[in-house]
Every structure is written in structure tokens, then in C-alpha cells.
Amino acid sequence: MSGRELITLADVLAARARIAGIAMRTPLVPSPFMTRKAGREFLLKLEIAQPIGAFKIRGAANAVARLPAEAKGVACCSTGNHGRGVAYAAQKRGIPAVVCMSSLVPQAKVEGIRALGADVRIVGRSQDDAQTECTRLCAEDGFIEVPPFDHADVIAGQGTIGLEILEDRPDVASLLVPLSGGGLAAGVALAAKAIRPDIRVIGISMDRGAAMAASLVAGRPVEVEEVPSLADSLGGGIGLDNRYTFDLCRELIDEMVLVNEAEIYRAMQVLYFEDRFVAEGASVVGLAAVLSGKLSLPEGPTASIVTGRNLDMPTFTKIISGEDVMLGDVLMEGTLYGA
Ligand SMILES: *Cc1c(COP(=O)(O)O)cnc(C)c1O
């Protein structure tokens, strides 16, 4: 059975009712600059307006709402936006959340998740150690793990973005979706295509370290080496035992585009200086794909999902100032916007 038969539009509609009051219904706004560049109407779906600053609140809120009454709490080991979403949703429902991390996670991320009321448990020195503790909490202490993308309730929750876009603008012809584990792309594509089978869904990742892109090319889930990127929220694997998102992405994504770090840097400047929004590198890959000329869009309006704003501010300040930035231990040369 394919992933698509397991999750339907009805699940996405049910998710929408469940997450109302926790996740926001976000605005879909025109970008005049990108409209000029793309030669067709270009719209931005502003998930940066979510309470935790990213769309992952949707999937997390749906999954947390669906936990059985006997669950002692919710556990995960994401240090990024998923961890924030789970912490926030659990606090709203009034149940404990434990986020397991390794001792290598930067203190700022630990504080961010703690501030949302979660118990942060530091275990070992690797993500594997953190996962082991998470699995133990679930086996011995009655917690239930909510993973970041490969989970039916998470996918259905992210799919609510597709419903909102088509409600606001039933004429949208293509969707630009940042792609990592594929929970977002799978959910949005399955909801949008159930309503408008001819809508075009374009998945966009960075050109190095994109596990779903490599897996789609290989025809099965594969591992890739993780590389530091301005689109850090798009890093990480899809799981060799992937259950849902690989099949769904293979079936529902019409086209993949890969953008490089200079293109992401530029698109962050464009969104800031032209539209005056602050967003993560992962959020602007749709703009980067269009600005790079790597993507030819069909006729009709395009909506690009601006997925989150949880970025490292010192790095962002450098980008808008046109300064060089460090990607891991590699220096990336900056360019002043408009120069
Ligand atoms: C998680 C995330 C994505 C990618 O979502 P997937 O469901 O993993 O494909 C994109 N942008 C941001 C800001 C994210 O946090």
C-alpha cells in the first residue's frame, strides 16, 4: 500500500479543526518584486507568523491532540523547529514534553525549547544517544514519541497549509515547497492535489546534503553526508526505514530543484530588502529557485511557503550587510544587496 492511501484529504480537514486555536491561519500575501521577477503573480505563505516562528506547530499540534488519554507525555529528539512545535503544543494541551538532545547542541537552542515549557534532557554526545533515551522514555515511562516528519498525523497537520492556500486563492497553479524529510511537501501536495489535481508541486532543497532529493533519484531512501548550509532546517536524513514521506513525495512532487548557498544568501537578502521579512535560509529556497532561473513556472499564480524565522541573528545580520559568513569551517563570500 502506498503512503497516499493511508492519509487522505479527510485527515487534513480533521487536522485543521484539531489545531485551530493553537496554530494560526497564516496570511498569503503578494510579493510585487518576485511577481516582476517571475513574470507571474507570486504569493508568499507566511508561516513565519506562527507562534513558534515555523509551520511545524501544525503537525506537532495535530499529533499531540491525537495522543491517547493514557499517554504520560510526549517525547521527541528534534533540536530545531519540530522540538519547538512539540513543546508548544504539549504546553497548550497541559501534558509533559521531553526533548532529548546530545551535549553538543548549542545552549541557545536548549534555552529556546526550555522556554516553551519542555523538559530538555541532555544525553550523551550524539543524536543516537538522544534517540536511545527517547526510545527508553517511550518503552518504560509511558511517553509517546512524535517524530518530525514520517508520521501520519504530522503529515496531515502540515497539509493544512495546502487547504488554506487554495481557499484564499483557488487559482494558484504551482506551489513551491521547501523539502527536507518531506512531511511538509507530502501533506501540502496530498491536500492540494485532492482539491486541484492539476496543481504543480515543486520541491526545493539545497544542492548539498539533501537526503530526500538523493533518495528520489536513487529510487529508495538513502543516506547523505550532512553539510553545513544556510538552509540548516533542511538538513538531516529521511530514515532508511521511511514509512510515509518517501512514497508520498515520489508520487506527488512534480519537480525537484536544488539551489546553492549563494542563491540562498541572495534570496534571504531579497525577502528582507524587497518584502521586508526576516526568514531562515530554508524558507527562501522557493524564491532562490525562481531567481536562479533554474525553474520555469507554469502560467498562473505561484505560492511559495515561507516556512520559518528561527535563524541565528548574528549570521542574518551579516547576510543583510553583505558580509562573509562561515558555513562550518568554510568561508562563504558575501555580496552587498543591490551592488
Ligand atoms: C522542517 C522544516 C522544513 C522542511 O520540512 P520537512 O517536512 O522536513 O520536509 C522547511 N523549513 C523549515 C523552517 C523547517 O523547520
Side-chain angles (χ1 to χ4, degrees):
M1 200 168 20
S2 85
R4 192 175 191 178
E5 288 164 87
L6 298 170
I7 309 165
T8 66
L9 180 60
D11 296 315
V12 182
L13 290 165
R16 181 177 36 195
R18 244 178 246 126
I19 70 176
I22 300 173
M24 309 297 291
R25 191 189 194 291
T26 55
L28 181 69
V29 301
S31 167
F33 179 84
M34 286 303 299
T35 295
R36 270 199 310 282
K37 287 285 173 187
R40 46 192 47 47
E41 197 176 359
F42 198 96
L43 304 159
L44 305 170
K45 177 65 169 167
L46 296 180
E47 290 301 299
I48 52 178
Q50 291 292 357
I52 59 149
F55 75 89
K56 288 217 174 57
I57 182 72
R58 294 177 186 258
N62 191 41
V64 167
R66 296 253 297 150
L67 291 179
E70 67 272 17
K72 292 280 186 317
V74 57
C76 72
C77 41
S78 159
T79 61
N81 289 326
H82 177 65
R84 286 173 182 259
V86 166
Y88 187 86
Q91 191 178 48
K92 284 277 179 186
R93 189 175 159 179
I95 62 168
V98 176
V99 182
C100 304
M101 311 183 179
S102 90
S103 59
L104 302 179
V105 171
Q107 196 57 26
K109 288 198 168 182
V110 175
E111 295 306 332
I113 289 177
R114 224 166 239 160
L116 293 167
D119 171 11
V120 173
R121 209 160 289 180
I122 310 284
V123 260
R125 289 185 58 81
S126 75
Q127 198 57 24
D128 287 349
D129 294 337
Q131 182 62 57
T132 303
E133 170 61 6
C134 192
T135 306
R136 192 203 59 76
L137 269 170
C138 296
E140 295 171 17
D141 296 350
F143 279 67
I144 294 184
E145 182 175 0
V146 174
F149 52 86
D150 201 26
H151 185 288
D153 297 329
V154 171
I155 295 167
Q158 322 303 30
T160 58
I161 296 173
L163 296 182
E164 291 176 9
I165 291 174
L166 285 177
E167 258 172 21
D168 288 354
R169 288 297 301 268
D171 58 336
V172 162
S174 54
L175 296 172
L176 306 187
V177 189
L179 177 66
S180 176
L184 175 64
V188 166
L190 87 82
K193 290 194 174 191
I195 299 166
R196 277 267 317 279
D198 62 326
I199 202 164
R200 202 167 165 75
V201 176
I202 299 139
I204 305 127
S205 303
M206 62 289 192
D207 65 355
R208 295 176 310 155
M212 182 62 83
S215 300
L216 291 173
V217 169
R220 64 187 161 81
V222 294
E223 280 172 335
V224 296
E225 195 194 332
E226 226 177 305
V227 187
S229 169
L230 291 176
D232 55 312
S233 287
L234 300 184
I238 69 162
L240 293 180
D241 53 354
N242 188 289
R243 291 177 58 200
Y244 298 98
T245 60
F246 174 72
D247 283 342
L248 284 164
C249 287
R250 180 153 66 167
E251 191 176 334
L252 297 170
I253 292 179
D254 298 295
E255 184 178 349
M256 275 289 319
V257 179
L258 302 179
V259 292
N260 64 35
E261 298 301 318
E263 288 161 351
I264 297 169
Y265 183 107
R266 190 72 176 172
M268 288 172 83
Q269 291 182 325
V270 164
L271 193 66
Y272 179 78
F273 285 106
E274 304 295 345
D275 295 293
R276 318 231 164 137
F277 292 125
V278 174
E280 296 179 38
S283 298
V284 301
V285 292
L287 285 75
V290 171
L291 294 167
S292 70
K294 288 174 180 169
L295 175 62
S296 56
L297 291 167
E299 289 296 317
T302 296
S304 191
I305 304 173
V306 184
T307 47
R309 61 170 154 80
N310 293 319
L311 35 65
D312 176 58
M313 286 309 276
T315 305
F316 185 66
T317 306
K318 285 187 184 145
I319 292 172
I320 60 173
S321 312
E323 291 170 26
D324 301 346
V325 292
M326 293 302 290
L327 291 175
D329 47 20
V330 179
L331 184 101
M332 182 188 159
E333 213 176 303
T335 30
L336 206 55
Y337 188 69

